[in-house]
């Protein structure tokens, strides 16, 4: 397997760990989510260029579109949490269940 | 010669408007003399027609051709237009002379005369049109001039609303007119009368219905009638010209023009008959208890128009036309004499505040009495030569009995309200304040009224003697039917005099229900003018704002989705929000899975 792929997959794994393990702010999880998407996008683009399969060049674009929507949804959730709790600390997500 | 003289007639008034010397004082006299000469010239083709019975069609200027439809400026000079044009010019001449006295103190009197002249020109275009486009131009023209003239004193709210009312009701009629024009374009590919009558299509119900709607709007038939009593907000010469003798005749005139098509269509005839019968009865009922002298005369005009519709409905268009011509004379005269009374009593229009004018205004009271007698069909005055044949033919034809009975009742009511006018305005003791100076000596006032008196007395005889009857009149009928018209009129007279004499002694504390029905014009304006705008406004509010904006764009998907999700999520989930724990367990399970696989 070419080394460039391993590099990017390593970036993905690091971002994944960053998404799942975070201390107090919810926004850091969202940031690492963005990092995951970025590494996936780079992987897809390099893959379709190296294998010379022209039809699959559309896959990174579609991924980008969905990533944008997903980022928007994540930010909206963040804002609602911030509206109800004042901060985005993870500890206070089990208070005031609504 | 015929053709040239007719064109000269039409251009004479037009030249006067083109001169446009509005600032000078002699514009008025120039206008009046132009109309006088036009009247004199228009008698020449009429007399030629009477002598030779030769109709003429002038088609001179080819305007445009749209695909296969050729539009040109063409004039039709047949019996109807040649008889009506001198009459219209004569009455306009008298009215212009009268308004020299009536509108004397008005600063914009030049503009008033210009409007009257424009109205006359458009009316003549309407009458002499040979194709529907020209007729429509005249139709719209008289509508516009009526709007401008009714709102002459446009500082007054009532005048503005009355002019708007006239315009709107006319518009509703114009829908029917346009539908008729469209039908003729589609099916017959022409707007010329000759082609329409030659091809004589068999399924003419739809365009004739449109025509009926148009005439109902223009001639104030029931359903589209409230604009005519409201149009009395305009000055009296306007009421005399437009709303008694010429404009409201436009609708009936167009119906008469289409008589070859209406002969074959019984549905339209019956509907015209019923519409006319309802109109004449309803407006006669409303006229019985009105207190404004101009409104009584306006409703009487409406009633006579209903009578003309009835005549068309029994397939006698020529009788309707003759009644139209004779009616113009005495109705204009009634309006002019009421204008004289109003001005002399210092703008008092309520008949309860007039009285005792019999001795102080002899010419005016003579005019009113002669006009009322002619209106009710007194034998051997003008109305007799037109109204009596109508009633006789109606009695003897195969007709809807209910329509006939209603028409007869309306004829007797004609006599009643005419008696009411005479009684309250002329007889008895004066009820107006004694400072009113009554002066009839102005020749501009007296001459038109005298001319119209002569016309009212003799024109019926002259017209009916000089026209060739197109249908054979009924010659034999039982004597009780022959005297029916006279009998109901006398009945109306006697009942009215009796009731009016009773008003000296008795008085009701509160008017009875029938009385308020009649005084409020049958509650028709009150209900319709409020309900229709309310309904259309609420419907549009429902459609546009409520349905489109609020429901479909806002509430249907976005808000519903949020509330659904919120309730579902809060109902179903029993999570405790321990995010770090959940993420950690996720990570652990992924690493464990990877380790086991490898």
């Amino acid at each position: 397997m070419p080394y460039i792929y391993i590099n990017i997959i390593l970036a993905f794994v690091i971002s994944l760990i960053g998404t799942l393990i975070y201390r107090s702010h919810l926004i850091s999880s969202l940031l690492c989510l963005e990092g995951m998407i970025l590494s996936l996008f780079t992987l897809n683009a390099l893959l379709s260029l190296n294998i010379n399969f022209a039809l699959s060049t559309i896959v990174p674009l579609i991924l980008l579109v969905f990533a944008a929507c997903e980022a928007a949804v994540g930010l909206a959730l963040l804002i609602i949490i911030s509206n109800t709790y004042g901060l985005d600390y993870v500890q206070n997500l089990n208070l005031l269940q609504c | 010669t015929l053709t040239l003289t007719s064109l000269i007639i039409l251009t004479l008034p037009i030249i006067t408007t083109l001169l446009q010397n509005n600032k000078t004082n002699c514009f008025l006299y120039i206008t009046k003399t132009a109309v006088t000469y036009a009247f004199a010239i228009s008698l020449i083709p009429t007399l030629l027609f009477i002598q030779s019975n030769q109709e003429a069609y002038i088609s001179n200027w080819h305007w445009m051709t749209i695909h296969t439809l050729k539009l040109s400026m063409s004039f039709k000079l047949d019996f109807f237009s040649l008889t009506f044009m001198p009459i219209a010019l004569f009455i306009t001449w008298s009215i212009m002379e009268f308004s020299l006295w009536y509108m004397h103190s008005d600063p914009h009197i030049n503009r008033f005369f210009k409007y009257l002249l424009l109205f006359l020109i458009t009316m003549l275009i309407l009458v002499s049109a040979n194709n529907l486009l020209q007729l429509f131009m005249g139709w719209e023209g008289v509508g516009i001039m009526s709007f401008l003239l009714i709102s002459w004193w446009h500082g007054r709210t009532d005048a503005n609303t009355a002019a708007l009312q006239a315009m709107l009701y006319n518009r509703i009629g114009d829908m029917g007119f346009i539908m008729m024009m469209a039908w003729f374009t589609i099916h017959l590919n022409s707007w010329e009368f000759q082609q329409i009558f030659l091809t004589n299509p068999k399924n003419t119900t739809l365009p004739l219905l449109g025509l009926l709607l148009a005439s109902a709007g223009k001639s104030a038939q029931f359903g589209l009638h409230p604009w005519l009593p409201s149009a009395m907000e305009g000055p009296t010469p306007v009421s005399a010209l437009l709303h008694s003798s010429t404009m409201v005749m436009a609708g009936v005139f167009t119906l008469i023009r289409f008589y070859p098509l209406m002969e074959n269509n019984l549905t339209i005839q019956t509907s015209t008959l019923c519409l006319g019968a309802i109109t004449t009865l309803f407006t006669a009922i409303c006229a019985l208890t009105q207190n404004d002298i101009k409104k009584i005369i306006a409703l009487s005009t409406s009633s006579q128009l209903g009578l003309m519709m009835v005549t068309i409905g029994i397939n006698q268009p020529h009788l309707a036309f003759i009644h139209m011509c004779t009616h113009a004379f005495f109705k204009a005269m009634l309006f002019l004499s009421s204008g004289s009374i109003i001005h002399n009593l210092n703008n008092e229009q309520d008949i309860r505040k007039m009285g005792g004018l019999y001795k102080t205004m002899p010419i005016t009271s003579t005019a009113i009495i002669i006009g009322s007698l002619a209106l009710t069909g007194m034998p051997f005055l003008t109305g007799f030569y037109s109204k009596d044949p109508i009633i006789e033919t109606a009695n003897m034809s195969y007709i809807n009995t209910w329509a006939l009975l209603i028409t007869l009742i309306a004829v007797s009511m004609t006599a009643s309200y005419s008696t009411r006018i005479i009684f309250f305005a002329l007889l008895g003791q004066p009820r107006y304040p004694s400072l009113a100076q009554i002066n009839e000596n102005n020749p501009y006032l007296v001459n038109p009224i005298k001319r119209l008196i002569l016309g009212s007395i003799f024109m019926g005889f002259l017209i009916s003697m000089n026209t060739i009857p197109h249908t054979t009149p009924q010659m034999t009928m039982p004597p009780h039917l022959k005297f029916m018209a006279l009998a109901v009129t006398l009945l109306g007279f006697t009942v009215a005099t009796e009731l009016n004499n009773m008003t000296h002694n008795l008085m009701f504390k509160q008017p009875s229900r029938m009385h308020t029905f009649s005084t409020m014009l049958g509650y028709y304006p009150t209900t319709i003018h409020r309900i229709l705008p309310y309904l259309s406004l609420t419907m549009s509010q429902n459609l546009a704002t409520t349905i489109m904006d609020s429901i479909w764009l806002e509430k249907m998907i976005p808000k519903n989705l949020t509330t659904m999700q919120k309730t579902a999520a809060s109902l179903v989930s029993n999570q405790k929000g321990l995010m770090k724990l959940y993420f950690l367990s996720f990570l652990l399970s992924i690493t464990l899975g990877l380790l086991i696989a490898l």
Side-chain angles (χ1 to χ4, degrees):
Chain A
M1 184 174 295
Y3 287 123
I4 184 78
Y5 291 149
I6 295 179
N7 196 357
I8 296 177
I9 290 175
L10 194 62
F12 176 75
V13 168
I14 290 177
S15 295
L16 180 68
I17 295 176
T19 316
L20 297 177
I21 302 176
Y22 56 94
R23 264 194 62 180
S24 43
H25 279 276
L26 194 64
I27 198 171
S28 60
S29 174
L30 290 177
L31 260 174
C32 292
L33 205 62
E34 294 300 310
M36 278 167 70
I37 294 170
L38 182 65
S39 63
L40 274 175
F41 172 77
T42 322
L43 186 68
N44 265 321
L46 282 176
L47 205 63
S48 61
L49 280 173
N50 269 348
I51 296 180
N52 287 331
F53 180 38
L55 265 183
S56 68
T57 47
I58 201 175
V59 172
L61 285 173
I62 297 181
L63 183 65
L64 217 54
V65 167
F66 280 113
C69 300
E70 168 198 348
V73 170
L75 281 174
L77 276 174
L78 188 72
I79 290 189
I80 289 183
I81 289 176
S82 172
N83 275 346
T84 42
Y85 294 108
L87 293 165
D88 61 342
Y89 280 179
V90 182
Q91 291 98 329
N92 45 13
L93 278 184
N94 58 351
L95 306 171
L96 290 179
Q97 295 178 5
C98 66
Chain B
T1 45
L2 256 176
T3 64
L4 260 177
T5 44
S6 316
L7 284 185
I8 293 178
I9 296 160
L10 280 183
T11 49
L12 253 182
I14 296 174
I15 293 176
T16 316
T17 42
L18 287 179
L19 279 180
Q20 287 291 335
N21 42 358
N22 284 353
K23 307 293 176 285
T24 67
N25 205 5
C26 57
F27 173 70
L28 312 172
Y29 303 101
I30 291 177
T31 317
K32 186 175 74 73
T33 44
V35 175
T36 318
Y37 289 156
F39 164 65
I41 297 177
S42 74
L43 280 178
I44 303 176
T46 313
L47 293 173
L48 278 172
F49 173 77
I50 292 177
Q51 192 241 341
S52 66
N53 195 21
Q54 186 183 20
E55 305 180 341
Y57 307 100
I58 314 171
S59 175
N60 40 11
W61 179 53
H62 177 205
W63 184 28
M64 63 163 84
T65 310
I66 304 177
H67 289 296
T68 51
L69 181 64
K70 177 175 176 224
L71 300 173
S72 58
M73 181 168 98
S74 60
F75 300 97
K76 174 169 166 139
L77 304 169
D78 62 342
F79 163 62
F80 297 131
S81 65
L82 278 177
T83 324
F84 192 72
M85 281 212 277
I87 294 180
L89 284 164
F90 180 73
I91 294 184
T92 315
W93 171 34
S94 309
I95 288 177
M96 278 190 176
E97 208 176 324
F98 174 77
S99 54
L100 277 175
W101 172 75
Y102 192 83
M103 309 286 293
H104 181 72
S105 55
D106 199 318
H108 301 291
I109 188 173
N110 284 334
R111 195 158 50 140
F112 187 76
F113 267 71
K114 189 168 71 165
Y115 286 171
L116 281 183
L117 198 61
L118 269 175
F119 171 80
L120 175 69
I121 294 171
T122 46
M123 187 71 204
L124 288 179
I125 293 177
L126 198 158
V127 163
S128 62
N130 197 16
N131 56 353
L132 278 178
L133 185 67
Q134 209 168 325
L135 203 144
F136 191 60
M137 287 200 278
W139 187 274
E140 290 297 307
V142 295
I144 293 175
M145 296 324 294
S146 139
F147 173 79
L148 285 173
L149 282 170
I150 294 177
S151 62
W152 177 253
W153 291 310
H154 51 76
R156 194 179 140 90
T157 323
D158 282 339
N160 282 334
T161 50
L164 262 181
Q165 225 178 336
M167 209 59 210
L168 286 175
Y169 277 116
N170 267 334
R171 264 292 165 249
I172 300 178
D174 288 345
M175 296 291 137
F177 200 93
I178 293 181
M179 179 172 78
M180 176 175 76
M181 284 171 77
W183 194 94
F184 280 132
T185 315
I186 293 175
H187 283 94
L188 296 178
N189 190 31
S190 161
W191 278 335
E192 306 267 331
F193 284 152
Q194 280 78 36
Q195 189 161 342
I196 295 176
F197 296 153
L198 271 177
T199 50
N200 205 3
K202 287 288 169 278
N203 47 351
T204 51
T205 311
L206 191 59
L208 288 178
L209 264 180
L211 180 63
L212 189 61
L213 180 64
S215 317
K218 196 65 132 186
S219 302
Q221 300 298 306
F222 181 70
L224 297 173
H225 67 278
W227 69 270
L228 194 53
S230 313
M232 297 297 120
E233 295 286 337
T236 312
V238 168
S239 307
L241 187 56
L242 270 69
H243 308 116
S244 67
S245 31
T246 37
M247 186 179 116
V248 292
M249 300 304 165
V252 182
F253 191 83
T254 326
L255 262 182
I256 294 178
R257 269 269 199 248
F258 275 88
Y259 78 88
L261 289 183
M262 288 187 61
E263 276 176 339
N264 302 328
N265 198 334
L266 278 182
T267 323
I268 296 294
Q269 279 183 12
T270 354
S271 43
T272 321
L273 177 73
C274 294
L275 184 66
I278 294 179
T279 307
T280 175
L281 183 69
F282 183 75
T283 48
I285 291 179
C286 291
L288 280 179
T289 53
Q290 293 296 317
N291 290 322
D292 186 357
I293 188 173
K294 282 173 72 172
K295 277 205 173 44
I296 300 182
I297 307 182
L299 288 166
S300 141
T301 312
S302 202
S303 180
Q304 294 301 306
L305 286 172
L307 187 67
M308 287 177 221
M309 286 287 208
V310 165
T311 328
I312 299 177
I314 54 177
N315 204 8
Q316 298 288 334
H318 304 278
L319 283 182
F321 179 72
I322 296 178
H323 188 63
M324 199 170 104
C325 296
T326 53
H327 170 261
F329 280 103
F330 42 82
K331 198 46 71 71
M333 186 171 70
L334 277 175
F335 266 113
L336 289 193
S337 33
S338 75
S340 141
I341 293 181
I342 291 172
H343 243 37
N344 274 321
L345 290 184
N346 215 5
N347 296 333
E348 181 57 64
Q349 283 187 339
D350 198 337
I351 56 174
R352 296 172 292 192
K353 287 198 194 164
M354 301 175 191
L357 294 170
Y358 187 66
K359 294 286 169 58
T360 46
M361 299 175 71
I363 298 182
T364 313
S365 43
T366 328
I368 289 188
I369 293 180
I370 292 184
S372 304
L373 286 176
L375 176 63
T376 57
M378 167 97 152
F380 306 117
L381 285 183
T382 312
F384 173 70
Y385 287 101
S386 54
K387 204 165 185 182
D388 218 48
I390 293 177
I391 306 282
E392 283 174 19
T393 327
N395 278 336
M396 294 302 291
S397 53
Y398 184 62
I399 194 181
N400 197 345
T401 317
W402 166 77
L404 177 65
L405 283 176
I406 284 185
T407 318
L408 288 174
I409 296 177
V411 168
S412 73
M413 285 187 183
T414 311
S416 305
Y417 58 70
S418 305
T419 326
R420 187 179 147 92
I421 292 182
I422 296 178
F423 185 80
F424 276 97
L426 302 178
L427 303 174
Q429 300 295 318
R431 290 186 291 275
Y432 50 88
S434 46
L435 283 180
Q437 288 141 346
I438 298 186
N439 181 10
E440 266 194 337
N441 288 327
N442 200 334
Y444 288 138
L445 170 63
V446 162
N447 282 339
I449 295 187
K450 276 200 268 194
R451 275 203 300 271
L452 284 174
I453 289 181
L454 283 177
S456 302
I457 299 179
F458 293 117
M459 277 318 287
F461 177 69
L462 287 175
I463 290 182
S464 53
M465 283 304 131
N466 286 326
T467 57
I468 304 170
H470 288 251
T471 57
T472 53
Q474 281 287 336
M475 291 300 176
T476 61
M477 60 188 83
H480 60 269
L481 286 184
K482 179 81 178 169
F483 290 122
M484 176 81 77
L486 201 57
V488 295
T489 315
L490 284 174
L491 180 70
F493 268 136
T494 46
V495 168
T497 15
E498 195 57 43
L499 283 174
N500 285 332
N501 275 329
M502 273 165 64
T503 57
H504 281 311
N505 308 325
L506 293 174
M507 201 187 83
F508 294 110
K509 283 216 187 57
Q510 194 187 12
S512 66
R513 289 255 195 90
M514 289 298 295
H515 184 90
T516 36
F517 175 81
S518 171
T519 319
M520 296 290 292
L521 298 176
Y523 305 118
Y524 185 89
T526 332
T527 50
I528 299 278
H529 289 170
R530 291 176 196 179
I531 282 185
L532 278 179
Y534 176 74
L535 279 178
S536 42
L537 283 176
T538 47
M539 176 191 78
S540 63
Q541 191 192 24
N542 274 335
L543 268 182
T545 310
T546 312
I547 290 184
M548 200 58 196
D549 280 349
S550 305
I551 295 184
W552 189 249
L553 288 177
E554 251 185 57
K555 293 208 180 98
M556 188 67 142
I557 298 183
K559 292 255 171 75
N560 268 350
L561 203 57
T562 42
T563 43
M564 208 163 45
Q565 296 291 337
K566 259 202 218 162
T567 44
S570 54
L571 270 179
V572 170
S573 73
N574 48 1
Q575 293 183 8
K576 292 184 181 42
L578 304 165
M579 291 283 296
K580 285 196 352 187
L581 200 64
Y582 303 149
F583 275 164
L584 266 174
S585 62
F586 190 53
L587 185 64
L588 267 171
S589 39
I590 283 187
T591 38
L592 270 176
L594 274 174
L595 278 175
I596 291 179
L598 281 178

